[in-house]
Amino acid sequence: MERNRSRDLKPIIMLVLAIVIVAGLLWSYNQLISKEEAVDSSWAQLESNYQRRHDLIPSLVATVSRYLEHEQETLQGVVEGRAQQANANVSRILEAVNSASTTAEEATATSASEAPKNEETLRRIARAQAQLSVQSRHLMAVVENYPRLHSSDQFLTLQAQIEGAENRINVARMRYNDAVEAYNAAIRRIPGNLWASLGQLQRKAYFEADEEAEDAVTPVFD
């Protein structure tokens, strides 16, 4: 009697085990998808902060350019000659800032709405964004030689907004790397590695350190 009951229960136990295993695999897959979504969400936040900085650059360039034009109209003689040379140097820096902003925006736009899938793409974006950071900081430093411009409300507001955008970018980059770290670790562990081995999920690229990206940057000096 007991033997018959054991035989009757065996298929049920096997079915329950199969259901538990399948449910566990599906749960782990859903967890991995959530982590992958977190990576893309973190990247979207980073892109948003990049775009915020890109949107501010034209206003900054326009503000400095208007000041240079006004100053040039009010100076004469020897002083004018010196000012022309100084203003020409600033103009070159403005061109570099504009160029860096365009390059950075184009590089980031190639990633579409999800996180880049390979390190080379991410490295290219890092270099372009680092170029913009360096040129923007250089412009801010040079503007300190123009006290009236440097103390104007419009410039100070733009400066604060750009510095705020830089800080948010740094925070967003750290959060992105944290999300990538959690995702990559999950697909290396059992049972996540099973899904990865089936080609369903792939490793994500990290954002490299700023120092490496800025090694490729050549700022324009006056």
Side-chain angles (χ1 to χ4, degrees):
M1 184 71 174
E2 289 295 331
R3 190 174 298 173
N4 291 337
R5 183 177 299 176
S6 298
R7 283 199 299 266
D8 293 339
L9 289 176
K10 190 174 181 179
I12 297 175
I13 294 173
M14 294 297 293
L15 178 61
V16 171
L17 286 174
I19 292 174
V20 169
I21 291 172
V22 171
L25 288 173
L26 292 176
W27 179 85
S28 69
Y29 183 76
N30 288 334
Q31 288 294 105
L32 291 173
I33 293 301
S34 295
K35 291 182 184 299
E36 187 176 40
E37 289 294 328
V39 172
D40 290 337
S41 176
S42 298
W43 176 254
Q45 289 295 319
L46 181 55
E47 273 193 318
S48 177
N49 287 310
Y50 279 148
Q51 189 59 53
R52 169 63 175 163
R53 182 172 63 176
H54 295 152
D55 292 341
L56 291 169
I57 293 299
S59 297
L60 175 66
V61 171
T63 298
V64 177
S65 297
R66 282 196 301 269
Y67 175 83
L68 294 180
E69 291 173 3
H70 173 73
E71 184 183 65
Q72 198 63 51
E73 293 172 356
T74 59
L75 295 176
Q76 296 179 351
V78 176
V79 177
E80 179 182 3
R82 294 173 182 170
Q84 284 178 337
Q85 180 60 43
N87 290 356
N89 290 333
V90 178
S91 296
R92 286 196 295 272
I93 298 172
L94 289 175
E95 291 176 4
V97 171
N98 262 330
S99 176
S101 181
T102 299
T103 301
E105 192 166 14
E106 290 175 350
T108 307
T110 60
S111 66
S113 59
E114 61 182 21
K117 298 188 185 318
N118 61 76
E119 293 179 357
E120 181 55 39
T121 299
L122 210 54
R123 193 176 296 114
R124 185 173 66 251
I125 293 172
R127 286 198 187 102
Q129 294 293 342
Q131 174 80 27
L132 178 55
S133 293
V134 169
Q135 301 296 3
S136 296
R137 288 196 296 268
H138 184 46
L139 176 61
M140 297 295 186
V142 171
V143 166
E144 291 182 3
N145 297 323
Y146 297 80
R148 283 192 299 169
L149 171 60
H150 189 255
S151 61
S152 70
D153 291 340
Q154 187 174 14
F155 178 82
L156 289 174
T157 298
L158 285 168
Q159 184 180 36
Q161 289 176 335
I162 290 175
E163 288 175 351
E166 292 273 2
N167 292 334
R168 286 190 290 272
I169 286 170
N170 290 334
V171 171
R173 283 179 58 171
M174 288 188 292
R175 289 177 177 170
Y176 170 79
N177 274 351
D178 288 343
V180 170
E181 182 180 13
Y183 169 80
N184 285 347
I187 65 172
R188 292 180 62 187
R189 300 191 190 105
I190 296 174
N193 60 349
L194 298 177
W195 295 113
S197 66
L198 294 174
Q200 297 295 314
L201 301 166
Q202 297 179 349
R203 180 183 178 277
K204 300 286 187 180
Y206 287 94
F207 234 117
E208 298 293 339
D210 285 343
E211 292 79 4
E212 181 176 332
E214 293 191 15
D215 282 345
V217 176
T218 304
V220 175
F221 294 102
D222 51 355

